[in-house]
Amino acid sequence: DYLNENLACKPVNLSLDELCSTSLDPTIFLTGWQGPNPGDIELGCIDNYIITFFDKDNNIVTVENLKHHIGKTLKFKVTHTFQSFPNCWNEVLIEDKYPPTIDCRDLDINCLADTKNVVVAFASDNCSAVPQLVGEVHESIDCDEDYIGRIIRRYIAVDKYGNESADTCTAI
């Protein structure tokens, strides 16, 4: 295996994917691996690199548990299966930049019912999300023997990291 002596760890912002996870690649965490030609990677066997995360108390954090550290800065260490490779350390900020999605459904309600707590919007996200009401309009309906009015509500989905759904939904 080829060992590049120019490698060093760099600070990283690591965004989790749609499954609130990530795949690890040493090129994300190391500098000095770029070859003389664009696209050249001078790392040798990528699978021989081990990336380990640590919380503020130096406890190991597994990749599966990174989702519990969103918004936090962790330490990481890059090692190689060859003992002669010098270890390097730096910091990584775990982020969730994946936007949630929103879905609405229409619902018929008795005109005497309290509509304040009726849920018609549903948010989904890789980590967490809630629907937020961003607008509401009340309209009277004339000449309809079944309905006297309608409430039109517009929602977006927002996760706890401030990511908003690209789309809105309207429930009538």
Side-chain angles (χ1 to χ4, degrees), residues 32-80:
W33 53 264
Q34 300 85 349
N37 300 313
D40 283 356
I41 299 175
E42 294 185 347
L43 281 176
C45 184
I46 289 178
D47 293 336
N48 287 341
Y49 290 85
I50 302 162
I51 301 155
T52 309
F53 299 96
F54 300 88
D55 66 14
K56 62 181 173 62
D57 298 320
N58 285 326
N59 298 310
I60 292 176
V61 177
T62 64
V63 173
E64 297 79 26
N65 284 321
L66 288 175
K67 62 186 172 191
H68 301 297
H69 295 272
I70 294 173
K72 296 178 185 172
T73 299
L74 304 176
K75 291 184 285 186
F76 72 87
K77 176 173 76 169
V78 178
T79 57
H80 193 280

Side-chain angles (χ1 to χ4, degrees), residues 113-146:
D114 181 9
T115 60
K116 289 181 186 171
N117 296 319
V118 174
V119 177
V120 293
F122 303 93
S124 61
D125 186 48
N126 58 337
C127 300
S128 66
V130 293
Q132 286 188 357
L133 181 65
V134 293
E136 180 173 292
V137 176
H138 295 256
E139 295 178 348
S140 294
I141 300 175
D142 297 327
C143 303
D144 189 316
E145 57 189 63
D146 295 322

